[in-house]
Amino acid sequence: MAVWKILVIGLLSCACLALTMATIAIPISQDGSQRWAWLAGLLSATLVVATLLVIFLRYADGSLDIKPRGNRS
C-alpha cells in the first residue's frame, strides 16, 4: 500500500475521533439553544468525515485485490 494512502487513512481516522469527542464535550459546556446548534453541526461533520473514511477504506481495499502483473500463480 502506498504511503499516501496510509497517511490519508490516519488523518481521516484522527479527524473522526476528534470530531466524535468534540460532539460529546462541547454541547455539554454550552447553554440554551447554542447546545443544539453545536450538537447538530458537530454531528453532521462527524458523519461526513466518517463517510469519507469508509469510502476511502473501500477504495483502498479494492486496490489491494488486483494481482501484480508478473505473478503467474
Side-chain angles (χ1 to χ4, degrees), residues 3-65:
V3 174
W4 69 270
K5 288 181 183 179
I6 295 171
L7 292 175
V8 169
I9 291 170
L11 178 72
L12 286 173
S13 299
C14 289
C16 191
L17 180 64
L19 281 169
T20 303
M21 290 191 302
T23 302
I24 296 168
I26 291 180
I28 290 174
S29 65
Q30 298 296 321
D31 293 329
S33 63
Q34 286 185 351
R35 174 179 293 173
W36 298 109
W38 275 102
L39 181 65
L42 287 169
L43 188 61
S44 62
T46 303
L47 291 175
V48 167
V49 172
T51 303
L52 287 174
L53 178 61
V54 167
I55 289 170
F56 190 78
L57 285 174
R58 286 184 183 165
Y59 164 75
D61 182 44
S63 67
L64 291 175
D65 291 339

Side-chain angles (χ1 to χ4, degrees), residues 67-73:
K67 292 185 178 180
R69 261 186 160 179
N71 192 359
R72 298 260 180 194
S73 52

